Amino acid sequence: MRAVAFDHFYAYDELTETLHAWAQEAPALCTVESIGTSYEGRDIWLVTITNSDTGAARDKPGFLIEANIHSMEWTGSSAALHLIHKLLAEHGTDERVTRALDTRVFYVIPRLNPDGAERGLQERRFIRSSVRPYPREQQDDGLHVQDVDGDGRVLDMRIEDPNGAWKPHPDAPSLLIRRDPVDGPDDGPFYRLVPEGRIENYDGVTIKVPPPLEGLDLNRNFPAEWVPEHEQRGAGPYPTSEPEVRAMVQAVTERPNITGHIAYHTFSGVHLRPYAGRPDEEFPTNDLRAYKLIGEEGTKRTGYPAVSVFHDFKYDPKQTIKGGAHDWMYDHLGVFSWTTEFWSPQRQAGITDYHFTDWIREHPVEDDLALYRWAQQTFPDAYVEWYAFEHPELGHVELGGWDVVHYWFNVPFSQLEREIEPHSDWALFHLLISPLLEVRSLEAERLGDTAFLVRLVLQNSGWLPTSVTDKAVERAAVRGIEIELDLPDGARVIAGEVKTDAGQLQGRVDKRSTTWWGNDESTGDLTKLEWVIEATAGTEIGIEARHERAGTQRRRVTLG
């Protein structure tokens, strides 16, 4: 089995070649298909991983992993590849992997945004998401971020300026810190700090930093609580306006067996759950409880805390994030959905008990010093010492500072595999807790010469209920168990229905108490169905029991 490389991030061609090679090496376990094309015409690949010898993918409960919707977050793509390789390599040798692929199915989109990832790898400048120019076609005048000295990095430019807002740290002169409010001219030198780039139509004095030409954020383009551009930057002209998001929405809609979803992003070292725009009080009680239990398991396996976006991850205390993938997956479809933000440089540097988003806006100078020293000791290239450069417009400047793309937005290669490995284990856990419809028993009893009683008992052996969530029931997003008889000519049903709906079955998620108090040992996970069938002895009938999320079971029984 072709191994995954962790010493570089895959460009589109290598990613494509690797996925198709795996499909050729393990055709019984792996298929690759395009679910659509990107803005620039690249195929968006979806990998289906299941044991086809034990049934078709659509007949099994599924779980979706989606990665690299944001251009520079290549770590997520590597994590998706790690998961695929683990599943293919360990099926038949690892009990849990084997059981998962024999009874269930993984769907993996390793790179939802191939255009942004490819251009980011080529230009190394920060691109948020789609490369489609939006909301304007031409870049405004001002500073255009780019690699001006051709060293493969986009850093910062510092310009000595008596009115600058930054000054050297007294214990680490290369580290710039905020200038004190009352600093005077003799407390310098002071610097103005701007991103590395060229200045279009520079007037010799003012440096404008216009909005990026690529103004879309694909993770604001999903249907859930979508708002237009003037209310949330990057949202696009309408929900699913962008081909990448439309492809994912269509692919998910065509696979109603999907029971959960994790989106792989960077950075912060945290698992995020809905809602992004509403407090926890608006959850169905059982769903919030299950979300917290799943999150606790994620923390146990990966070390990442699991938090609510609304309560713990808002970028602005007065604004909420709308149009995100995990809100759509949970609120519209009623499946448990997460966003994993890989990698926390702060935690690596020993900084703990910080707020994930507030820290970016405001934090102690001591944190900067701790991060600087961590970089010096662990990743010397992460913080680049300032060096002189003759800028085409500005003249003498210095380049340096944090290599944000490589050491903040992505895990350094020396730690990449170790950082992402536990997350494949958590994804496997999440699939294995899905509902699973099974036949507990099927019997035929003779009542007379040509009359037979057929009894079918079904069970949900999964931890989650067949509906997955109460939200799915509230939204009417999932049907009950549908049972249908296949009768040959000459046989007919005397009692019972040829087609019937058996509703939903409970799982084990609510069976938590170990004492008599509130303990529920009812058989809500089982259902019994009976038919009286008139037919000659030896007649064979078929029974199909299907549930969109819990899977399909087909059996045949001979009467008499």
Side-chain angles (χ1 to χ4, degrees):
M1 184 67 57
R2 178 182 295 206
V4 180
F6 295 105
D7 59 353
H8 66 280
F9 294 119
Y10 285 36
Y12 180 76
D13 287 346
E14 185 181 11
L15 176 71
T16 299
E17 181 188 358
T18 299
L19 298 179
H20 284 84
W22 283 337
Q24 291 174 357
E25 292 178 47
L29 297 176
C30 178
T31 60
V32 180
E33 63 186 296
S34 173
I35 58 172
T37 54
S38 64
Y39 169 70
E40 292 186 329
R42 293 180 175 88
D43 281 307
I44 301 168
W45 302 117
L46 179 141
V47 184
T48 301
I49 309 110
T50 191
N51 183 1
S52 60
D53 292 337
T54 60
R58 301 293 179 90
D59 289 342
K60 300 174 181 178
F63 192 84
L64 174 66
I65 297 290
E66 159 250 320
N68 215 165
I69 192 174
H70 288 145
S71 300
M72 317 308 288
E73 299 174 8
W74 310 302
T75 292
S77 204
S78 294
L81 294 177
H82 181 278
L83 173 63
I84 297 170
H85 182 268
K86 174 184 176 68
L87 297 172
L88 298 180
E90 296 182 9
H91 180 265
T93 59
D94 181 273
E95 187 276 330
R96 289 194 311 137
V97 170
T98 303
R99 177 157 47 96
L101 298 191
D102 286 354
T103 61
R104 294 166 170 89
V105 55
F106 265 111
Y107 298 111
V108 183
I109 305 173
R111 184 163 290 166
L112 184 59
N113 175 19
D115 300 348
E118 194 74 357
R119 190 173 299 183
L121 285 166
Q122 292 167 357
E123 300 183 9
R124 302 291 169 165
R125 63 182 175 88
F126 179 78
I127 302 169
R128 178 59 173 166
S129 205
S130 171
V131 299
R132 180 167 84 87
Y134 185 85
R136 61 199 164 278
E137 293 294 325
Q138 300 295 327
Q139 180 77 65
D140 291 343
D141 286 347
L143 191 146
H144 298 177
V145 177
Q146 58 186 274
D147 177 13
V148 295
D149 66 342
D151 67 351
R153 305 173 297 193
V154 176
L155 305 172
D156 284 321
M157 301 191 297
R158 75 175 189 181
I159 308 158
E160 191 166 349
D161 186 332
N163 207 36
W166 303 91
K167 66 180 182 180
H169 190 289
D171 298 328
S174 184
L175 179 65
L176 295 183
I177 59 175
R178 294 184 302 273
R179 177 179 177 176
D180 291 341
V182 295
D183 273 349
D186 296 334
D187 296 312
F190 302 115
Y191 294 92
R192 190 175 297 276
L193 198 62
V194 295
E196 181 179 349
R198 296 287 303 274
I199 303 176
E200 188 76 19
N201 293 325
Y202 182 48
D203 65 6
V205 177
T206 58
I207 302 175
K208 302 174 184 177
V209 182
L213 183 61
E214 305 94 348
L216 284 164
D217 185 336
L218 296 176
N219 204 33
R220 306 293 181 268
N221 193 234
F222 287 87
E225 298 190 348
W226 179 91
V227 295
E229 183 74 19
H230 69 275
E231 293 185 41
Q232 180 172 252
R233 191 173 71 181
Y238 57 87
T240 71
S241 61
E242 305 313 301
E244 297 85 356
V245 175
R246 194 159 57 248
M248 175 173 157
V249 168
Q250 185 68 32
V252 170
T253 304
E254 291 174 351
R255 293 164 178 80
N257 58 326
I258 290 174
T259 64
H261 162 251
I262 302 175
Y264 284 167
H265 289 238
T266 62
F267 68 99
S268 284
V270 65
H271 301 298
L272 303 176
R273 62 166 173 82
Y275 286 110
R278 287 184 268 167
D280 280 356
E281 288 74 17
E282 298 197 23
F283 268 102
T285 301
N286 291 334
D287 289 1
L288 180 59
R289 191 161 175 260
Y291 245 132
K292 290 183 176 180
L293 291 171
I294 297 168
E296 289 172 5
E297 191 67 30
T299 301
K300 184 191 304 182
R301 291 170 184 265
T302 68
Y304 288 12
V307 305
S308 154
V309 176
F310 181 87
H311 293 287
D312 304 294
F313 207 82
K314 286 189 288 191
Y315 294 107
D316 186 308
K318 295 186 177 181
Q319 295 179 357
T320 58
I321 301 169
K322 298 177 174 64
H326 64 199
D327 269 14
W328 174 66
M329 295 288 292
Y330 172 74
D331 193 57
H332 286 201
L333 305 182
V335 301
F336 290 114
S337 178
W338 296 85
T339 296
T340 291
E341 300 278 356
F342 286 101
W343 186 237
S344 169
Q346 299 99 316
R347 212 172 291 148
Q348 295 288 322
I351 301 167
T352 58
D353 299 324
Y354 63 92
H355 190 277
F356 299 105
T357 51
D358 288 351
W359 185 92
I360 297 173
R361 291 189 295 270
E362 188 76 27
H363 56 262
V365 170
E366 289 76 18
D367 287 0
D368 288 318
L369 189 59
L371 281 159
Y372 174 72
R373 288 173 174 165
W374 162 76
Q376 281 188 315
Q377 296 169 5
T378 313
F379 301 108
D381 294 334
Y383 192 93
V384 180
E385 301 296 322
W386 299 97
Y387 60 94
F389 179 73
E390 287 302 312
H391 192 274
E393 289 81 43
L394 298 172
H396 178 74
V397 302
E398 291 178 287
L399 303 179
W402 286 107
D403 185 351
V404 174
V405 167
H406 295 98
Y407 292 92
W408 282 79
F409 273 92
N410 289 286
V411 183
F413 296 130
S414 62
Q415 285 193 225
L416 181 57
E417 184 175 11
R418 182 173 57 188
E419 185 76 16
I420 64 181
E421 184 174 17
H423 297 266
S424 293
D425 186 51
W426 189 47
L428 187 63
F429 164 84
H430 218 313
L431 177 61
L432 285 170
I433 67 173
S434 66
L436 184 64
L437 184 65
E438 293 182 323
V439 175
R440 189 181 182 103
S441 63
L442 174 60
E443 302 167 334
E445 176 185 347
R446 183 189 289 271
L447 301 178
D449 289 343
T450 58
F452 300 87
L453 174 66
V454 175
R455 180 181 296 113
L456 171 68
V457 178
L458 297 172
Q459 68 181 19
N460 170 27
S461 63
W463 187 71
L464 292 173
T466 53
S467 62
V468 177
T469 66
D470 287 351
K471 175 60 71 173
V473 176
E474 175 189 315
R475 289 285 200 186
V478 61
R479 297 194 296 268
I481 301 170
E482 299 171 328
I483 297 110
E484 183 174 357
L485 301 183
D486 178 18
L487 300 173
D489 293 340
R492 68 187 183 95
V493 175
I494 299 175
E497 301 291 336
V498 174
K499 296 181 180 180
T500 188
D501 187 322
Q504 308 291 344
L505 295 180
Q506 295 176 359
R508 300 189 304 277
V509 59
D510 292 327
K511 299 185 185 299
R512 308 293 301 171
S513 175
T514 56
T515 68
W516 61 270
W517 183 261
N519 198 26
D520 177 12
E521 289 302 330
S522 62
T523 55
D525 56 323
L526 302 175
T527 188
K528 181 178 73 171
L529 299 105
E530 293 181 331
W531 300 267
V532 176
I533 297 175
E534 184 180 68
T536 59
T539 298
E540 186 180 74
I541 68 168
I543 301 178
E544 179 175 284
R546 56 183 177 268
H547 189 280
E548 292 174 317
R549 296 181 176 179
T552 298
Q553 293 291 327
R554 299 179 182 89
R555 295 290 188 274
R556 302 195 71 80
V557 62
T558 301
L559 304 180

